Amino acid sequence: MDLLNTIRQLFITLFHAVYHILWGDLIAIPLPGGGSLGLSLLVLILIPSGIYFTLRTKALPFRLFPEMLRVTLEKKKLSQKDAISGVQALIVSTATRVGMGNLVGVVAAISAGGAGAVFWIYTPIVLVAISAVIVLRKDATVKVLDIMVPVMAACYFLLTIFIIVRNIGLLPAVFQKIFLEAFGLRQAVAGGFGAVIMNGAKRGLFSNEAGSGSAPCAAAAADIDHPAKEGLLQAFGVFIDTIVICSCSAMIMLLTPADLTRGLEGMDLLQTSMEHHMGQIGVVFIAGILWLFSFSTFIGILFYARPNVAYLFGDNWLSQTLYKVLALVMLFIGGLAAYTFVWDLGDIGVGLMTVFNMIALIPLAPKALGALEDYERWKRMKADLER
């Protein structure tokens, strides 16, 4: 027993040490008001890299946004067996972005209150059973996500539009608050600007996975005629997750009276907001949507794992089945664990992925930029010929 306690304590110590290296304040810059701007390793890596790539691509997310939409709507027959289309790769990567890491936190937060509990009368065994039916069937993953992701995203978006229309008179005050706090005017005076940036970077990375190197697992499987097109599709995926889905959640909560949400955090905050806007049916609805978000994340990540397992252990029935069974076991364990621990573990996992990925990404940048230049040159030539 003493040995087990010692091992447990060593693990906890190592866990907190790695977490602090990734997300702790490596540099603290004093700010007016007595606070400080704490910069972690991940912030020091991601923000300069984001600025660098934005400049090198000449503001690609803004400049080529119409092209992202065009490529997304482009229809193309697959020329390779077992490949997926560019849009399917977008759907798989969006599935892993939307709801990433929220499963256990959502269960703990929503099942504790109101009618939302009906979706979790839950045990984790039910979720594992449903997952097993899908992931153990060959080629079922992408087919399920093709239906699930567009439906859940559209439902959530349309619900948000409905809530915004019902509360249209509150929008000026909401946008005023967004812009004031986005530029840190209130936080800088109060000394909390560092926490705003820190939490924003952490949750942003955890939400859209930009820079973590996970989405290429889906992109690499796409049958597409130019690599830059897949890059544009994946950039559009970040837009869907961050600008559309996250903004939906933000608007739902910001349009709720502050007195109702004071002191609440996370899914408790979203649950209370939905109850205010739509009553108990809103709580049930958000429980179902969040379940779909979390479930699609799990299914999408298993798709990511397949080629990696094949590379390490061979593309055979035994290895491909064992990793799925292991994932299902971990899903069950995660459903029983403390959600705060699982969330912190996810921060460490995504953080380590990002550090290692950025080490490779910067040296490979010229190849990616070259592919973008080649694509834009091809587009210009095509436009000249059409004239």
Side-chain angles (χ1 to χ4, degrees), residues 14 32 45 57 68 78 82 94 161 173 183 201 206 217 231 242 283 289 306 308 319 341 383:
L14 178 63
I45 291 174
T57 60
M68 292 181 198
L78 299 180
D82 296 330
T94 301
I161 295 299
F183 295 102
F206 208 58
C217 294
T242 307
V283 180
I289 286 293
R306 187 189 185 286
N308 294 285
S319 61
F341 170 77

Side-chain angles (χ1 to χ4, degrees), residues 53-72:
F53 282 110
T54 300
L55 294 176
R56 287 297 308 273
T57 60
K58 301 174 184 176
L60 179 149
F62 308 99
R63 184 171 58 87
L64 293 180
F65 186 78
E67 184 66 9
M68 292 181 198
L69 294 176
R70 192 196 69 78
V71 172
T72 301

